[in-house]
Amino acid sequence: MKMALQGNNLLIKEADNVQFAVIKSWNKMRWDRKTQLLSGIADMELLDKLSGIVRLPPTIAQRREQLHAVQSAIDRERVNPEPKPVTKYPVKMSLYAHQVRGANMCLVAFGWASPEQIGGNQ
């Protein structure tokens, strides 16, 4: 099986019949007859499932680790009792703790802040 990552799209070629059937059963990838490729969004769930059946190439494994780091940072911030703002937010009033948590999680989820900046790892 050959895999490639184009942006956020994962492309799979030359999967055997068993691998093809398993991957197709997840309903996370589409088969393109013209190019003979399976394609789908390379989200954490798909990459976790694929890592269970094959060894991921280094670039795709790195993408999987990045997604796990982001999710871990968001989970840490969700339960942080004393959140610190990652940046100065453009509001006039002081933010409540839950608002700071939400803004911080949003910045990390959209990739505008690194996972290391929140959750007590400053």
Side-chain angles (χ1 to χ4, degrees):
M1 177 186 323
K2 295 179 182 176
M3 284 187 236
L5 196 58
Q6 288 183 340
N8 285 338
N9 270 346
L10 181 67
L11 305 174
I12 296 178
K13 190 171 195 166
E14 299 176 9
D16 65 29
N17 291 336
V18 174
Q19 291 170 335
F20 180 84
V22 169
I23 293 169
K24 193 74 172 139
S25 73
W26 298 334
N27 292 325
K28 303 277 290 167
M29 301 190 85
R30 299 229 182 252
W31 175 249
D32 184 6
R33 284 187 184 183
K34 185 177 179 181
T35 60
Q36 297 292 302
L37 289 172
L38 280 165
S39 64
I41 302 297
D43 61 1
M44 192 167 47
E45 180 184 2
L46 176 61
L47 295 180
D48 285 343
K49 286 181 176 187
L50 278 173
S51 71
I53 62 170
V54 295
R55 185 166 181 244
L56 297 177
T59 56
I60 297 172
Q62 180 183 7
R63 171 74 175 152
R64 179 175 173 248
E65 291 302 318
Q66 289 171 345
L67 291 171
H68 277 283
V70 167
Q71 186 62 47
S72 175
I74 290 172
D75 291 341
R76 279 193 317 269
E77 185 67 8
R78 184 174 290 121
V79 296
N80 186 359
E82 298 175 12
K84 305 281 188 278
V86 172
T87 186
K88 182 167 177 8
Y89 295 111
V91 294
K92 293 181 182 181
M93 303 296 291
S94 296
L95 295 175
Y96 291 105
H98 72 280
Q99 293 169 321
V100 173
R101 272 189 222 102
N104 289 346
M105 289 187 295
C106 182
L107 289 179
V108 172
F110 287 121
W112 298 330
S114 68
E116 293 82 27
Q117 288 180 289
I118 67 168
N121 290 339
Q122 293 180 340

